[in-house]
Amino acid sequence: MSQRLLILQHSPLDGPGSLAPYFQARGWQIDVVEAAHADLARIDPLAADLVLPLGSALSVYDEALFPFIGVERALLARRLAAGRAVLGICFGAQLIASALGCRVYRAPQAEVGWYPLELTAEGAASPLRHLAPGLAPAVMHWHQDTFDLPPRTQRLARSALCENQAFALGTHLLALQFHPEVTRDGVEAWLAEASFTPDTRAARIAEIREGAARWQAAMQRQIARCLDDWLPAAGL
């Protein structure tokens, strides 16, 4: 019987990217739920083998405007309390931090572009070691919010602009602030919607495109190797 992946998607621009073919090639059944339009309260948080909340242009603190955020937080909190596997990306990682009782807030500076990770000692000993700068010289970042590190978790990575780039809880949770999943087509879609200032727009688009050409392949090769290690450790 194939294992089941539940993807919680929050916008058409923030899809699973390279992760969908990764899991498909390994025989997983993939169910994609459009979280903003689904009745999340009816989803059994423990039914899937792995839950993957993706990115979003929304903020966790937008809950008053978008009530599904609170329902999704409760779903993740129940799953995490049961020790079931969760992999979170960007907004998904922020929502996990919130589900674990931590504050999510606007960062002093938005982080948009290709920048290296700095692994902690714990990160260098974890599956995230495959994304060390010597193996993945830069990864894709696109976020304006950050969060406090949840209690009992391990910080795995930071960057020059963001102290909490990745964290883990035991072997069942891996939360990533950056975007290892995004394809070059996905980057182009984000650039088309980006709100860079008029005086920086052309330069920033050129810079991010150049980064995708230089570092995309290595990032996606290395996140696959990271998952090859993390999934068995999570019992999957």
Side-chain angles (χ1 to χ4, degrees):
M1 183 175 178
S2 62
Q3 297 187 95
R4 180 180 165 222
L5 169 63
L6 173 62
I7 294 176
L8 299 173
Q9 185 166 331
H10 306 101
S11 84
L13 291 180
D14 290 282
S18 67
L19 297 186
Y22 172 90
F23 283 100
Q24 288 166 346
R26 287 153 180 80
W28 284 63
Q29 173 190 335
I30 300 177
D31 298 321
V32 180
V33 170
E34 299 291 341
H37 309 293
D39 186 355
L40 297 178
R42 298 190 65 179
I43 293 176
D44 181 352
L46 308 184
D49 295 286
L50 174 62
V51 171
L52 169 55
L54 294 173
S56 174
L58 300 177
S59 296
V60 170
Y61 46 82
D62 285 333
E63 182 180 347
L65 296 173
F66 301 96
F68 83 87
I69 293 173
V71 184
E72 186 173 344
R73 178 196 294 111
L75 183 157
L76 293 171
R78 286 184 58 195
R79 186 171 178 88
L80 292 166
R84 300 298 304 279
V86 179
L87 171 65
I89 292 176
C90 199
F91 175 83
Q94 296 163 9
L95 197 55
I96 289 165
S98 181
L100 293 172
C102 283
R103 184 173 63 112
V104 179
Y105 50 93
R106 184 65 61 96
Q109 183 176 346
E111 187 175 32
V112 177
W114 293 87
Y115 306 107
L117 297 176
E118 175 190 340
L119 299 187
T120 64
E122 293 82 1
S126 78
L128 206 67
R129 67 185 180 277
H130 294 290
L131 286 155
L135 300 172
V139 297
M140 187 67 207
H141 305 263
W142 202 299
H143 68 104
Q144 62 184 6
D145 292 336
T146 188
F147 50 85
D148 294 332
L149 189 70
R152 301 185 298 110
T153 65
Q154 293 182 314
R155 179 185 292 112
L156 303 181
R158 56 175 60 88
S159 66
L161 293 179
C162 181
E163 183 66 9
N164 295 320
Q165 278 290 344
F167 67 91
L169 178 61
T171 58
H172 66 282
L173 168 63
L174 181 61
L176 309 176
Q177 176 60 78
F178 57 99
H179 283 278
E181 85 293 355
V182 69
T183 62
R184 289 181 70 174
D185 286 346
V187 170
E188 282 298 316
W190 291 355
L191 290 174
E193 298 293 326
S195 56
F196 300 124
T197 60
D199 58 326
T200 66
R201 186 168 184 258
R204 291 293 283 136
I205 289 173
E207 175 189 13
I208 291 169
R209 279 182 178 152
E210 180 186 359
R214 293 177 64 187
W215 297 310
Q216 186 91 34
M219 178 184 73
Q220 295 191 325
R221 180 176 63 248
Q222 296 307 114
I223 189 59
R225 291 174 177 171
C226 173
L227 292 176
D228 285 345
D229 282 1
W230 180 73
L231 290 167
L236 301 171

